[in-house]
Amino acid sequence: MGSAVKPALDVPRIDKGLDDIYVKETSICYVDGQRGRLLYRGFDIQDLAQHSTFEETIFILIHGRLPTRQEFAHARSILAEARAITPDVVRLLRCMPSDAPPIDVLRTAVSYISNFDSERDDPTRAANMRKAQRLIAKVPTIIAAHHRIRNGKRIVPPDPSLGGAEDFLRMVTGRKPDPLSARIMDVALILHADHSMNASAFAAIVSASTLADLYSAIVAAIATLKGPLHGGANEAALRTMLAIAKPEAAEQYVLDTLRNRGRIFGFGHRVYRTYDPRALILREYARQLSELRGQEDLFRISEIMQETTVRELKAKQIYPNVDFYSGLVYHLLGLPMDLFTPVFAVSRVSGWTAHVIEYWDDNRLVRPLDYYVGPTDAAYVPLEERP
Ligand code: ACO
């Protein structure tokens, strides 16, 4: 082997993780990490969570403004009608190994359905907006259909007369949810719809910047959402709560984990230096649902974990993020753990598509640099001369 490159005198600054790098201007989403505020197109998510619906939030993200009543009715019916998936997609879902992670199945299915979209390669803004609506509409149906198939159950077709969140729960569980559960699902989808330039949105942008199609960009985003440092954290957080099992054990678990320099999943954030506003909203729903379902102990465990972690990591400004409560809420809504990250995608596909469409308005190929520190004089030895 040759020797390593001698470090140049002017070693560049390396921004591993791109922590403080701005890659585009945007008017989609603003995260105020100091004050714990999250805005979509200027609208505070507190207001949206209280008054809006996921369907209206989609419109706001994609179009950049509130819809008129007529526009809203039209957009809602387009989304509802586009929920259906074709027999080809169902056949694909039936071919998946029964133990395939649902997020991987979703990634595969989104890639697959792109081949049936007659506008796939139409790069116009109008076509991309229509594709975005179709994607947003079909992702929940794909997840629900695969879930039913893997459990040997009959697929529940979408009901266009219902709201998207309510219909999603119905398609997964086979039962129409009670109004509180349907509303909580709707709010959870509102809260996860976008979060500025996070890892999955950036993956979508990188793919889109090559002028690949919208579906390709969303496949890249789903693949990136999968990891436990991003979309997978809610599952990891709930697993921890269930493993702790008793409220009396929660504080010690946190102290032991921190002493061993471990991470408490559902805490910390690259941007928030205070409570994630989404976490605060979901925490209240987790409390209500835990009472309704007679699972107060689980909520108590989360409260003790929260109090202990915030107290112990105050100096590092580590607070609960949305994932700490979303997993708990989904569990109390009856969703299995391996659907949590796919449910994140149900919502976030609206933000991803909005970012890609915005980026294409002023596209630039993403092509960063890496700083080479490997050998420069490695001697090639022909295969037959090697031991
Ligand atoms: N538990 C314990 N300590 C933590 C945690 C945590 N969850 N998060 C950060 N810290 C500590 C780190 O150990 C580090 O301490 P040190 O300075 O003594 O080494 C310090 O806080 C800063 O942590 P970084 O990893 O540098 O912060 P970063 O901004 O890179 O991390 C991240 C953000 C990846 C989210 C991190 O907080 C983490 O791993 N959290 C757990 C996973 C999680 O909940 N992910 C979901 C994020 S939200 C989302 O994707 C929707």
Side-chain angles (χ1 to χ4, degrees):
M1 292 298 279
S3 56
V5 171
K6 289 208 175 65
L9 288 177
D10 50 348
V11 176
R13 184 184 131 169
I14 294 179
D15 288 294
K16 210 173 164 193
L18 307 180
D19 295 30
D20 298 314
I21 309 291
Y22 290 86
V23 295
K24 70 176 172 94
E25 287 185 347
T26 185
S27 56
I28 296 172
C29 178
Y30 176 58
V31 184
D32 183 340
Q34 297 299 328
R35 285 189 292 173
R37 281 187 83 208
L38 172 58
L39 312 179
Y40 297 160
R41 302 284 190 181
F43 298 100
D44 196 310
I45 52 128
Q46 306 273 1
D47 289 333
L48 297 178
Q50 206 173 344
H51 305 293
S52 187
T53 57
F54 181 50
E55 277 86 350
E56 188 179 49
T57 302
I58 294 166
F59 189 100
I60 293 169
L61 285 170
I62 304 271
H63 294 267
R65 59 177 173 81
L66 288 174
T68 63
R69 278 189 234 176
Q70 197 186 3
E71 283 172 334
F72 177 62
H74 182 61
R76 196 175 185 277
S77 76
I78 286 186
L79 284 170
E81 294 303 330
R83 260 179 232 154
I85 52 174
T86 62
D88 299 300
V89 184
V90 174
R91 262 197 298 279
L92 174 84
L93 299 176
R94 288 195 194 283
C95 288
M96 294 291 172
S98 58
D99 60 351
I103 189 71
D104 292 357
V105 173
L106 177 66
R107 190 195 58 222
T108 306
V110 169
S111 183
Y112 182 74
I113 62 172
S114 71
N115 298 296
F116 299 90
D117 193 321
S118 58
E119 292 191 298
R120 182 189 60 193
D121 297 319
D122 183 339
T124 59
R125 201 172 204 278
N128 283 321
M129 283 178 140
R130 289 191 293 273
K131 279 180 271 186
Q133 283 179 315
R134 288 196 282 276
L135 260 165
I136 294 165
K138 290 187 197 312
V139 162
T141 316
I142 290 169
I143 294 166
H146 170 249
H147 179 66
R148 303 285 298 176
I149 290 169
R150 70 177 174 155
N151 285 296
K153 294 194 174 141
R154 186 183 56 81
I155 293 174
V156 179
D159 176 351
S161 72
L162 301 179
E166 182 177 18
D167 204 21
F168 175 62
L169 283 178
R170 191 188 63 91
M171 287 191 287
V172 170
T173 63
R175 294 181 309 278
K176 201 165 178 290
D178 61 83
L180 176 67
S181 299
R183 180 60 191 153
I184 291 176
M185 188 72 242
D186 198 42
V187 172
L189 295 182
I190 291 171
L191 296 179
H192 285 84
D194 197 47
H195 210 245
S196 73
M197 195 42 56
N198 50 73
S200 54
F202 186 57
I205 292 298
V206 172
S207 170
S209 80
T210 70
L211 300 185
D213 67 295
L214 187 64
Y215 285 91
S216 302
I218 301 310
V219 170
I222 296 170
T224 309
L225 185 71
K226 179 180 177 182
L229 294 187
H230 190 12
N234 53 12
E235 186 178 334
L238 179 71
R239 274 189 203 287
T240 308
M241 290 176 209
L242 293 174
I244 291 173
K246 302 191 298 276
E248 307 84 82
E251 181 172 15
Q252 201 53 49
Y253 170 86
V254 171
L255 296 176
D256 289 347
T257 305
L258 296 181
R259 192 176 313 113
N260 296 324
R261 299 199 60 76
R263 300 244 157 167
I264 313 288
F265 283 97
F267 285 84
H269 200 276
R270 203 37 86 70
V271 183
Y272 291 117
R273 294 290 164 250
T274 182
Y275 284 89
D276 177 337
R278 304 166 298 174
L280 292 176
I281 296 170
L282 288 183
R283 176 186 176 194
E284 175 52 24
Y285 282 132
R287 190 189 60 71
Q288 287 180 28
L289 274 175
S290 66
E291 279 169 19
L292 203 70
R293 305 276 192 265
Q295 299 222 33
E296 287 96 334
D297 264 8
L298 202 51
F299 183 68
R300 189 79 200 113
I301 289 170
S302 74
E303 284 292 89
I304 296 170
M305 287 180 74
Q306 192 254 136
E307 285 155 21
T308 314
T309 309
V310 170
R311 183 187 73 217
E312 295 295 316
L313 297 181
K314 203 159 192 79
K316 294 182 185 172
Q317 296 180 300
I318 303 291
Y319 293 88
N321 59 53
V322 67
D323 286 324
F324 189 61
Y325 293 105
S326 62
L328 182 54
V329 164
Y330 297 153
H331 175 69
L332 294 167
L333 285 174
L335 296 172
M337 260 189 268
D338 61 358
L339 285 198
F340 293 177
T341 311
V343 171
F344 197 151
V346 167
S347 169
R348 189 54 63 85
V349 68
S350 57
W352 292 329
T353 51
H355 278 283
V356 169
I357 291 169
E358 182 186 69
Y359 193 78
W360 275 333
D361 285 342
D362 184 23
N363 188 64
R364 179 163 176 81
L365 177 70
V366 176
R367 203 318 185 178
L369 297 171
D370 55 0
Y371 181 62
Y372 185 71
V373 295
T376 51
D377 53 359
Y380 182 81
V381 179
L383 189 56
E384 56 278 15
E385 291 173 24
R386 284 179 241 161

